[in-house]
Amino acid sequence: MTIASEEEIGSHETQDMSELRALNSEFNVVNEPKLATLVNSLPSASAPFQRWLKYREGYAPEIVDRAIAESEKSASLPLDKGTLLDPFSGGGTSLVVARRHGLDSLGYEVNPVIAQLSRAKTHNYSSTDFLVVDQAIADIRQLTDQSPQAKTPELKILQKVFRPDVLAILLSMRYVIDGIENYRARDLLKVAWVSILEGVSNTFKEGNGIKYRNRKRTKNGYVQVPWEQVPGYLLPARETCIDRFINQIDMMINDVQSFPANGIEPAIRERSSVASLSEIESNSIDVSVFSPPYCNNFNYFKAFKIELWMGGYVENYSHLKQLTDTALRSHVELDLSELNDQQEETLPTELLSIVSTLRSRKLWSRKLPDSVLAYFFDMHRIINEVNRVLKPGALAHIVVGNSAYAGLIVPTDLFIASMARELGMTVERIEVARALTTSPQQRRLIPRENQKLLRESVLVLRSS
Ligand SMILES: C[S@@+](CC[C@H](N)C(=O)[O-])C[C@H]1O[C@@H](n2cnc3c(N)ncnc32)[C@H](O)[C@@H]1O
């Protein structure tokens, strides 16, 4: 992940780092360069299960292996059983790994596309389920122009995203999949179908959203390319979609069969952990491993716009807004109206002083300082709940990245560590995995010495 970089440039006073340096020196901060390739999904993107859907927000399975190994060593986790909690379970990396270790697990995820991906990865499939999958593949092979289709999504840009014949075959495939009653087979088939959408569309994911393939970036800005010259545009719709789908599902079934399931299927709750962790019994969790959204103003739903609409996960724009509003408040498009009721004294003073300086700076959105506050209010709730639900002495491993706005560094790892300490947790260490790349604007605004705090880390906390 990269740090936010869209703020307007102005000549600002350099950030006074003395308070942040002092806070940094209060913790056991260690360099762990071997974690650099594990805190993001790219290096492991072609590994079994990880390769099902491009999901750049994920981390590598080894992040979870390490947390479980450390918990077992410190005897907080019985070797043969226990429960892992991931309040931001995303593509399900923590849950897949927990199950390989024979642990029960519980995840929360608000994006229904991603929640379905994690369910598909963690079902205990039976031979009956695979027979249902085989039958669906046979039905899909028989589809023609006349076959029934799922309802056309209301997404306004749909006609620009898919060629009409591609859209028609995709919706016919979805009609077959949605009609399957066996939920395990349906989850697997639906994820395979969702995974091919980007490749047969005229868009691709980039940064915080999607871009059209017929807009080419040049030295002088974007230029329009005729659709016919876009690679892949003239491929035959029916054969291309069905072949890609069948290759995808074959690969997924191969992964499932190479790692036979054992243990109970994880519980994946499709709702906000910020609002719902209170439903978990106190002292019931043995280890928690997670990576929350970063405080970098990324709207995770945007990159999955096509999948959300095409898959019927959202029906209309107000439904999409409702869903987006359940996310942890990490960007300015979210509802920040509740802020007035929240207690600023629960937040680190160093954070409050950064927010107050931010308010005096020229920013691309006036809501930005509030969104930073909202982020830490939500994270405060999460850490408080994680501490409550963990058994005494149990560990939480949390992957976070710091960010910067208008030349001001927001060291999320230090602020979460500080809040956790206030809440009675022990901060075992902050493991610095790697430096975050900065935009040229940020590099100009932030002195090199201060840039050291622009980093991605694994926080290791022990519950009280
Ligand atoms: C950094 S990703 C986690 C990736 C995951 N560790 C993996 O390896 O796949 C953060 C996830 O949190 C989800 N999320 C955001 N707000 C949430 C909330 N309030 N409750 C639960 N999940 C949330 C996002 O949709 C995103 O999938």
Side-chain angles (χ1 to χ4, degrees):
M1 258 186 254
T2 50
I3 57 166
S5 63
E6 296 173 57
E7 57 278 339
E8 293 170 34
I9 304 296
S11 55
H12 296 302
E13 257 178 50
T14 303
Q15 182 174 17
D16 176 4
M17 299 292 283
S18 51
E19 279 189 338
L20 294 183
R21 284 209 194 95
L23 187 60
N24 193 53
S25 68
E26 288 170 24
F27 299 108
N28 176 20
V29 182
V30 290
N31 279 326
E32 286 289 1
K34 64 176 187 296
L35 295 179
T37 55
L38 305 183
V39 290
N40 75 99
S41 63
L42 280 182
S44 62
S46 56
F49 293 94
Q50 303 293 100
R51 58 184 169 170
W52 289 15
L53 183 70
K54 207 159 43 163
Y55 186 57
R56 62 182 198 136
E57 285 77 24
Y59 45 50
E62 288 86 343
I63 290 286
V64 191
D65 286 325
R66 288 176 84 241
I68 293 174
E70 188 178 348
S71 298
E72 286 176 339
K73 221 159 117 198
S74 72
S76 68
L77 186 65
L79 288 171
D80 55 343
K81 56 178 186 308
T83 305
L84 176 147
L85 167 70
D86 184 341
F88 301 95
S89 52
T93 316
S94 307
L95 313 176
V96 169
V97 177
R99 207 156 63 118
R100 273 184 214 157
H101 286 264
L103 304 179
D104 286 350
S105 58
L106 171 59
Y108 286 80
E109 174 54 53
V110 290
N111 183 331
V113 177
I114 304 302
Q116 188 162 37
L117 169 68
S118 61
R119 282 201 303 272
K121 284 181 186 171
T122 52
H123 284 318
N124 289 335
Y125 293 98
S126 68
S127 48
T128 317
D129 302 327
F130 292 128
L131 285 178
V132 176
V133 170
D134 285 345
Q135 183 55 53
I137 293 174
D139 292 346
I140 284 174
R141 280 188 198 277
Q142 301 298 319
L143 291 174
T144 67
D145 297 351
Q146 311 306 317
S147 303
Q149 297 177 4
K151 189 171 156 253
T152 307
E154 287 176 24
L155 174 66
K156 287 179 193 140
I157 55 168
L158 196 61
Q159 305 310 325
K160 287 200 266 177
V161 175
F162 294 105
R163 237 171 51 194
D165 51 352
V166 172
L167 180 63
I169 184 74
L170 288 173
L171 291 176
S172 293
M173 292 164 83
R174 203 191 112 195
Y175 183 86
V176 174
I177 296 168
D178 285 355
I180 293 170
E181 279 179 18
N182 175 320
Y183 67 91
R184 292 193 201 93
R186 192 177 57 238
D187 282 345
L188 198 70
L189 288 157
K190 186 76 175 267
V191 168
W193 177 85
V194 162
S195 311
I196 68 162
L197 293 178
E198 184 177 342
V200 297
S201 80
N202 301 324
T203 60
F204 61 98
K205 294 186 177 56
E206 192 184 82
N208 188 12
I210 54 169
K211 298 254 176 351
Y212 290 104
R213 289 188 208 276
N214 71 333
R215 278 164 61 82
K216 213 166 131 195
R217 204 191 323 223
T218 68
K219 265 192 261 159
N220 307 319
Y222 281 98
V223 292
Q224 206 81 10
V225 179
W227 275 124
E228 290 65 28
Q229 289 173 23
V230 173
Y233 186 80
L234 292 175
L235 288 175
R238 190 181 167 282
E239 289 71 15
T240 305
C241 292
I242 295 180
D243 285 355
R244 287 190 187 193
F245 171 76
I246 292 174
N247 286 341
Q248 176 74 18
I249 195 120
D250 281 350
M251 175 267 278
M252 289 165 58
I253 291 175
N254 191 41
D255 285 355
V256 168
Q257 292 180 335
S258 313
F259 292 89
N262 61 60
I264 301 175
E265 289 186 2
I268 298 162
R269 299 181 177 165
E270 238 175 274
R271 51 182 177 265
S272 167
S273 52
V274 181
S276 310
L277 286 188
S278 55
E279 68 200 11
I280 304 177
E281 216 178 292
S282 300
N283 303 333
S284 61
I285 302 291
D286 298 85
V287 60
S288 184
V289 189
F290 61 98
S291 176
Y294 295 175
C295 183
N296 57 7
N297 207 51
F298 270 48
N299 178 350
Y300 286 82
F301 280 94
K302 267 196 179 158
F304 283 93
K305 186 151 105 183
I306 310 292
E307 290 82 358
L308 283 163
W309 284 96
M310 277 295 284
Y313 301 95
V314 299
E315 304 259 308
N316 51 49
Y317 282 88
S318 68
H319 184 195
L320 178 62
K321 170 89 176 93
Q322 245 177 26
L323 203 59
T324 312
D325 273 345
T326 58
L328 183 120
R329 292 175 297 173
S330 62
H331 58 89
V332 294
E333 287 162 47
L334 292 172
D335 181 5
L336 303 172
S337 56
E338 247 185 59
L339 267 188
N340 297 339
D341 309 332
Q342 298 194 269
Q343 311 290 321
E344 286 197 2
E345 8 355 315
T346 57
L347 302 182
T349 51
E350 299 86 351
L351 165 67
L352 297 177
S353 84
I354 289 175
V355 171
S356 141
T357 314
L358 258 185
R359 290 197 196 286
S360 68
R361 295 208 167 171
K362 197 174 169 217
L363 302 163
W364 56 270
S365 164
R366 275 191 301 123
K367 287 173 79 182
L368 217 126
D370 276 351
S371 82
V372 173
L373 268 188
Y375 178 86
F376 286 98
F377 278 132
D378 284 355
M379 283 310 299
H380 187 274
R381 270 172 90 169
I382 291 288
I383 300 297
N384 191 25
E385 286 298 319
V386 166
N387 186 32
R388 180 185 64 78
V389 301
L390 281 176
K391 292 179 181 166
L395 293 172
H397 279 222
I398 310 173
V399 177
V400 287
N402 297 347
S403 46
Y405 292 109
L408 295 176
I409 295 171
V410 181
T412 302
D413 56 3
L414 291 179
F415 292 155
I416 294 181
S418 168
M419 294 191 300
R421 189 176 54 183
E422 283 300 304
L423 288 165
M425 297 185 88
T426 306
V427 180
E428 295 282 330
R429 29 183 218 287
I430 298 176
E431 302 177 318
V432 178
R434 60 173 183 170
L436 284 170
T437 42
T438 50
S439 65
Q441 297 102 305
Q442 294 291 353
R443 271 200 293 278
R444 250 186 295 141
L445 290 172
I446 306 172
R448 187 177 284 272
E449 181 57 20
N450 297 0
Q451 286 177 23
K452 278 191 194 148
L453 273 185
L454 283 174
R455 62 194 186 195
E456 210 165 4
S457 330
V458 180
L459 271 163
V460 180
L461 310 177
R462 194 177 289 281
S463 73
S464 48

Coordinates of all heavy atoms in Angstrom, one line a residue, residues 6 37 51 68 77 86 106 121 167 178 180 231 241 261 269 279 381 426 439 447 458:
E6 N -2.6 13.0 -2.2 CA -3.3 13.9 -3.0 C -3.4 15.4 -2.5 O -4.1 16.2 -3.1 CB -4.8 13.4 -3.2 CG -4.8 12.1 -3.9 CD -6.2 11.5 -4.0 OE1 -7.1 12.2 -4.5 OE2 -6.4 10.4 -3.4
T37 N 8.5 -8.5 2.6 CA 7.8 -9.1 1.5 C 6.5 -9.8 2.0 O 5.7 -10.3 1.2 CB 8.6 -10.2 0.8 OG1 9.1 -11.1 1.7 CG2 9.8 -9.6 0.0
R51 N -4.0 -16.8 -5.0 CA -4.1 -16.5 -6.5 C -5.6 -16.5 -7.0 O -5.8 -16.3 -8.2 CB -3.3 -17.5 -7.3 CG -3.7 -18.9 -7.1 CD -2.7 -19.8 -7.9 NE -2.9 -21.2 -7.5 CZ -2.4 -22.2 -8.1 NH1 -1.6 -22.0 -9.2 NH2 -2.6 -23.5 -7.7
I68 N 0.9 -17.3 15.3 CA 0.5 -18.6 16.0 C 1.7 -19.3 16.7 O 1.6 -19.7 17.8 CB -0.2 -19.5 14.9 CG1 -1.5 -18.9 14.4 CG2 -0.4 -20.9 15.6 CD1 -2.2 -19.7 13.3
L77 N -1.6 -20.1 23.7 CA -2.4 -20.9 22.8 C -2.2 -22.4 23.0 O -1.0 -22.8 22.8 CB -2.1 -20.5 21.3 CG -3.0 -21.0 20.2 CD1 -4.4 -20.5 20.4 CD2 -2.4 -20.6 18.9
D86 N -9.9 -12.5 13.5 CA -9.4 -11.4 12.6 C -10.6 -10.4 12.3 O -11.5 -10.8 11.6 CB -9.0 -12.0 11.2 CG -8.4 -11.0 10.3 OD1 -8.7 -9.8 10.5 OD2 -7.6 -11.3 9.4
L106 N -12.6 -16.8 13.6 CA -13.7 -15.9 13.5 C -13.2 -14.7 12.7 O -12.2 -14.1 13.1 CB -14.2 -15.6 14.9 CG -15.3 -14.5 15.0 CD1 -16.5 -14.9 14.3 CD2 -15.6 -14.3 16.5
K121 N -12.8 -20.0 0.2 CA -11.4 -20.6 0.5 C -11.5 -21.6 1.7 O -10.5 -22.3 1.9 CB -10.5 -19.5 0.8 CG -10.0 -18.7 -0.4 CD -9.0 -17.6 0.2 CE -8.5 -16.7 -0.9 NZ -7.7 -15.6 -0.3
L167 N -21.1 -8.8 -21.8 CA -22.1 -8.6 -20.7 C -23.2 -9.7 -20.8 O -23.5 -10.3 -19.7 CB -22.7 -7.2 -20.8 CG -23.7 -6.9 -19.7 CD1 -23.1 -6.8 -18.4 CD2 -24.4 -5.5 -20.0
D178 N -26.3 -18.4 -9.7 CA -27.2 -18.0 -8.6 C -28.3 -19.0 -8.3 O -28.9 -19.0 -7.3 CB -27.9 -16.6 -9.0 CG -26.9 -15.5 -8.9 OD1 -25.8 -15.7 -8.4 OD2 -27.2 -14.3 -9.3
I180 N -28.0 -22.1 -8.0 CA -27.5 -23.3 -7.3 C -27.8 -23.3 -5.8 O -27.5 -22.3 -5.2 CB -26.0 -23.5 -7.6 CG1 -25.8 -23.8 -9.1 CG2 -25.4 -24.6 -6.7 CD1 -24.4 -23.7 -9.5
P231 N -5.8 -4.2 -26.5 CA -5.6 -5.6 -26.5 C -6.7 -6.4 -25.9 O -7.2 -6.1 -24.8 CB -4.3 -5.8 -25.6 CG -3.7 -4.4 -25.6 CD -4.8 -3.4 -25.8
C241 N -15.0 -15.9 -22.3 CA -15.5 -15.9 -20.9 C -15.6 -17.3 -20.3 O -15.2 -17.6 -19.2 CB -16.9 -15.3 -20.9 SG -16.8 -13.5 -21.2
A261 N -9.2 -30.0 3.8 CA -9.6 -29.2 5.0 C -9.6 -30.1 6.2 O -9.9 -31.3 6.1 CB -11.0 -28.7 4.7
R269 N -18.3 -13.3 9.6 CA -19.5 -12.4 9.8 C -19.4 -11.2 8.9 O -18.4 -10.5 8.9 CB -19.6 -12.0 11.2 CG -19.7 -13.2 12.1 CD -19.8 -12.9 13.6 NE -20.0 -14.1 14.4 CZ -19.9 -14.2 15.7 NH1 -19.5 -13.2 16.4 NH2 -20.1 -15.4 16.3
E279 N -20.2 -8.3 20.5 CA -21.0 -9.6 20.7 C -20.1 -10.8 21.1 O -20.7 -11.9 21.3 CB -21.7 -9.8 19.3 CG -20.8 -10.2 18.2 CD -21.5 -10.0 16.8 OE1 -22.5 -9.4 16.7 OE2 -20.9 -10.5 15.8
R381 N -11.7 1.8 19.5 CA -12.8 0.8 19.9 C -12.3 -0.6 19.6 O -12.6 -1.6 20.4 CB -14.1 1.1 19.0 CG -15.0 2.0 19.7 CD -16.1 2.4 18.8 NE -17.3 1.5 18.9 CZ -18.4 1.7 18.3 NH1 -18.6 2.8 17.6 NH2 -19.4 0.9 18.5
T426 N 0.2 -4.8 27.0 CA 1.6 -4.6 26.9 C 2.1 -4.5 25.4 O 1.6 -5.4 24.6 CB 2.3 -5.8 27.5 OG1 1.8 -6.0 28.8 CG2 3.8 -5.7 27.6
S439 N 5.3 9.9 -2.4 CA 5.2 10.6 -3.7 C 6.2 11.7 -3.7 O 6.7 12.2 -2.7 CB 3.8 11.2 -3.8 OG 3.7 12.2 -2.8
P447 N 11.3 16.4 5.4 CA 12.7 16.2 5.5 C 13.1 14.7 5.6 O 12.3 13.9 6.2 CB 13.1 16.9 6.7 CG 12.0 17.8 7.1 CD 10.8 17.2 6.5
V458 N 4.6 -4.4 12.0 CA 3.8 -5.4 12.7 C 3.9 -5.0 14.1 O 4.9 -5.0 14.7 CB 4.3 -6.8 12.4 CG1 3.3 -7.8 13.2 CG2 4.3 -7.2 10.9

